[in-house]
Amino acid sequence: MTTFKFVCQASTCKLARAFSTSCATLTSPLEETIQTTNTDSKSNTDSMLTDSFGRFHNYLRISVSERCNLRCHYCMPAEGVELTPSSHLLSQEEIIRLAGIFVSSGVTKIRLTGGEPTIRKDLDDICLRLSGLKGIETIAMTTNGVVLAKKLPRLKECGLNALNISLDTLVPAKFEFMTRRKGMERVLESIYAAVDFGFDPVKVNCVVMRGINDDEICDFVELTRDKPINVRFIEFMPFDGNVWNVKKLVPYAEMLDRVKQKYKDVRRLRDHPSDTAKNFQIEGHRGKISFITSMTEHFCAGCTRLRLLADGNFKVCLFGPSEVSLREPIRAGVDDLGLKQIIGAAVCSYAFFNLPCCLVDILFTSPCTSIYSLLNTKKHISN
């Protein structure tokens, strides 16, 4: 038996701070010594992904693109967002190298996000190489589904084994209004193609907004009747440029009540401790429904997600202000051990930052005109 010490000493702190972005804050837990008794190398690496609250992070979300082929009202302004120069985005080799470090340290699930991941030309190669990493169990993707159907056969061959498809309305004209683009029929085609290719469940993410699509809640529930579809109703959240307004928020309790008014046997399922969703089964339905209560009932305590943005910035929390660049040390020649130290320093210094619920407390008592004044982030990365 050996004793391993992960020590956030001055040298490690300086290394991490050297690549911190201007909004990053590395706090006192970095100077603490974390001691753990281990019997194998895997236990040694576990410490790198355990934060100061004792949460072990085994789920990495990688944004492979900042670009998107839709312009959803709640996601970005009509003119789009300022994009990072391509030279400042992670290359395929850099993505695979960083993913390998995370997987060797205990990450078992990787989700590819954007922007819109399917518009990246080498997405299938990325999936293939990620699926070959020793220890990886799940390669998932969140997509708007517009061009997914034709890419799905190859992506599944390359190891993609879990899908979330975003769709906020079943009305074509409303889809065009909400996304500023056409394509609802293609998204539905992708959902049904995913079912046919054996994805089980196919998760459908639906952001619910009062006065826009809240009248379609039960229409979405019907998607679960005969197919292994898990419709996930998401409370409307604030992001850069979406002019978030509390009046558009439909709380989870209200959404569930609407479902129960039509469907009499709605049974609560037991959720995994790290689930972000509250899951339900309706009698006679093959699929399930879920509610992601980001605004009214936070799930921060069980969150095990880490985020690697397209520009190489690393975030322990999507809503937290801290980012640490991993692109810069890679290009400066830092080796894998040095990268692990930077990652470990960022994870163990994480300060609990429950922005959504704080916003609810603020915004129910004061007007909100633009989320820019509340969120100091460069861009919204879809999750």
Side-chain angles (χ1 to χ4, degrees), residues 67-341:
R67 298 180 181 275
C68 187
N69 48 4
L70 298 180
R71 292 291 182 270
C72 300
H73 281 271
Y74 60 78
C75 187
M76 66 171 71
E79 66 275 13
V81 294
E82 183 180 351
L83 297 173
T84 302
S86 58
S87 61
H88 292 176
L89 300 177
L90 291 179
S91 67
Q92 181 184 145
E93 292 299 326
E94 290 167 336
I95 289 173
I96 300 304
R97 180 182 173 190
L98 288 171
I101 291 173
F102 281 99
V103 172
S104 69
S105 302
V107 164
T108 58
K109 179 177 181 179
I110 291 176
R111 177 174 297 279
L112 303 177
T113 69
E116 171 50 39
T118 59
I119 64 177
R120 179 156 176 155
K121 294 180 179 180
D122 60 350
L123 179 64
D124 53 349
D125 292 331
I126 291 174
C127 284
L128 183 61
R129 296 180 69 182
L130 290 176
S131 65
L133 295 175
K134 184 179 180 181
I136 197 67
E137 297 173 1
T138 303
I139 302 295
M141 182 171 69
T142 297
T143 170
N144 61 34
V146 173
V147 299
L148 176 65
K150 63 182 180 181
K151 296 176 178 284
L152 199 51
R154 176 59 180 162
L155 288 172
K156 186 172 184 182
E157 286 179 2
C158 291
L160 184 72
N161 55 16
L163 268 176
N164 289 46
I165 301 175
S166 299
L167 180 63
D168 300 323
T169 179
L170 299 172
V171 180
K174 196 184 293 186
F175 180 92
E176 186 174 350
F177 167 76
M178 295 175 72
T179 66
R180 304 184 178 100
R181 300 289 188 275
K182 297 181 184 293
M184 192 208 76
E185 294 84 357
R186 283 180 285 167
V187 180
L188 283 174
E189 179 188 358
S190 294
I191 292 171
Y192 297 139
V195 171
D196 292 341
F197 274 103
F199 287 87
D200 186 358
V202 176
K203 295 182 178 180
V204 175
N205 293 345
C206 177
V207 176
V208 179
M209 291 165 281
R210 191 179 304 281
I212 298 178
N213 64 344
D214 57 320
D215 59 332
E216 297 185 63
I217 290 174
C218 290
D219 295 333
F220 272 94
V221 171
E222 283 300 307
L223 294 177
T224 72
R225 184 177 292 278
D226 301 313
K227 299 182 184 297
I229 293 175
N230 175 200
V231 174
R232 292 146 52 92
F233 297 107
I234 303 172
E235 292 179 338
F236 181 42
M237 295 183 292
F239 285 110
D240 269 0
N242 70 354
V243 193
W244 189 89
N245 189 318
V246 70
K247 293 180 180 179
K248 292 182 181 179
L249 173 66
V250 183
Y252 146 65
E254 181 180 337
M255 289 190 278
L256 179 59
D257 184 62
R258 293 194 194 186
V259 173
K260 287 184 173 180
Q261 286 179 21
K262 180 171 181 178
Y263 303 94
K264 301 307 178 186
D265 192 351
V266 182
R267 179 169 52 92
R268 181 78 156 90
L269 301 176
R270 177 173 293 181
D271 306 322
H272 187 276
S274 64
D275 274 352
T276 59
K278 295 174 172 62
N279 302 295
F280 293 80
Q281 179 76 58
I282 297 175
E283 181 67 26
H285 285 223
R286 183 176 175 186
K288 298 178 177 63
I289 62 170
S290 305
F291 300 89
I292 299 180
T293 60
S294 309
M295 298 301 294
T296 60
E297 295 184 24
H298 72 83
F299 36 77
C300 300
C303 183
T304 61
R305 292 152 183 77
L306 301 170
R307 292 166 177 83
L308 180 62
L309 307 187
D311 61 3
N313 280 356
F314 172 58
K315 293 175 71 73
V316 181
C317 175
L318 175 64
F319 287 100
S322 298
E323 296 182 7
V324 176
S325 176
L326 299 181
R327 182 195 73 242
E328 292 180 14
I330 283 181
R331 297 182 184 181
V334 175
D335 62 14
D336 286 2
L337 179 59
L339 290 171
K340 286 186 176 184
Q341 291 177 327

Side-chain angles (χ1 to χ4, degrees), residues 73 236 238-248 359 362-375:
H73 281 271
F236 181 42
F239 285 110
D240 269 0
N242 70 354
V243 193
W244 189 89
N245 189 318
V246 70
K247 293 180 180 179
K248 292 182 181 179
L359 279 174
I362 295 169
L363 296 176
F364 268 111
T365 58
S366 61
C368 173
T369 56
S370 173
I371 199 60
Y372 280 118
S373 63
L374 296 169
L375 265 182

